[in-house]
Amino acid sequence: MRLNSVNEKVERLYKSHFGKMVASLAYAFRNIDLEHVEDIVQESFSRAIVDWRDNGIPLNAPGWLYRVCRNHALNEIKEKSRLTKLAGEHELATATNDFSESILDDQQLKLLFACAHPDLSPKIQVVITLKYVINLKVEAIAKVLAMTIDGVDKMLVRARDKIQRDEIFLSVPSNSGLRPRLSTVHKVIYLVFNEGYKTSHGNDLVREDLCEEALLLTKSLLDCDLFDHETFSLYSLMLFHAARFKSRFNTAGELVDLEHQDRSHWSSDLITLANYYLKQSRSETLSKFHIEACIAHLHCLANSFDETDWVSIRKLYSTLLVDNSNPFVELSYAIACYYSGEKETCFYTLNQLEQQPYMRNYYLLNATLGKLYARENKSDEAITYLEKAFNQTTATLEKVFINNSILKIREG
């Protein structure tokens, strides 16, 4: 068996099943701590590479992995507890019921709700979901949540300890317990989509698979009648953004910013669908997602960047800041201020953001300052900020884009 094909198969299964296997194993074998459960699952994937290279990929590859995990866990229980053969057989029967291959048919949506346990803090709910459901690495989670890698590691340790200590298992709640967790599920889906949409990945690829996964999860909520007005607005928002996928890169594979995108490549079908769900999201109370969807709607309405209704967008961001104040929204608000003619407010807001340690080292803030100073014909300031942004991103696509911007300024 070709090693590359084995590695590719294992990698795909890792992305789709690692989190579900960890959660299922933790629930079936409640006397094994969560960190050790992760080790067991990780080892099973390592064994798969060796075994499948020699013996070929089994027809039911996910089932093979589940069996290896289950048997490994049972062997450890027997060894540590010195169980009799009879007890071991009893444990096997119990585990087979709780941790059977039928779990493969479970939707990721169920695991999303399982991770949104009310006894866990909202931040921990998000972190463990990104870790176990979406299978993001710690580094990616840190970027998504604007945290340090060490901070995410410590939060995961605390989460594992609490799950073990308080016997909080990642089991799917009853139907009556699902709806209170809906808001957390929305937040996580939103973060997953954003992680896929942005380009700051080590491999420089826009993870459209993550965006598609977020869209499918949201559609599943709608299909199973587990939704509210916020669900509609979230779906609408993501559809508006997805409509722009094909215009974000030119024929040379280079990144194209919103101002210079060919809008004829925007998907009219997705925009129409997004508009439909935006109308469905109307409610007396405006959610964060509804406001952001309205902003995306205004961008999609405009025939060009210059014809965009920036005044309305600025007002929407101002409304969003009332209950959802954070530096990333402030950055978008500042940009809207600039293009709506409120330049003084724009640069004041950007300079205030620059005082925050994290934002000072955030490449998008410096890239924004560089671009806007260039528009103001302040070449020296523009180049200074763009060079900062260039050094703050690791993605080649972004480096090429920023470098091209610097070259254009120098060429006059």
Side-chain angles (χ1 to χ4, degrees), residues 313-347:
I313 289 176
R314 173 177 56 79
K315 290 178 180 177
L316 285 167
Y317 274 122
S318 180
T319 301
L320 189 61
L321 282 169
V322 174
D323 295 319
N324 299 276
S325 181
N326 69 64
F328 305 111
V329 176
E330 289 181 50
L331 175 58
S332 297
Y333 167 72
I335 294 170
C337 284
Y338 181 87
Y339 290 109
S340 65
E342 300 286 341
K343 294 184 179 181
E344 186 175 340
T345 302
C346 164
F347 284 107

Side-chain angles (χ1 to χ4, degrees), residues 64-92:
W64 187 97
L65 287 164
Y66 273 84
R67 283 194 299 275
V68 170
C69 284
R70 180 194 62 195
N71 293 337
H72 188 159
L74 282 172
N75 288 337
E76 291 211 2
I77 290 174
K78 292 175 186 178
E79 182 178 347
K80 290 181 180 180
S81 305
R82 297 180 181 178
L83 297 176
T84 64
K85 180 180 179 181
L86 181 62
E89 290 174 350
H90 173 73
E91 182 72 21
L92 176 61

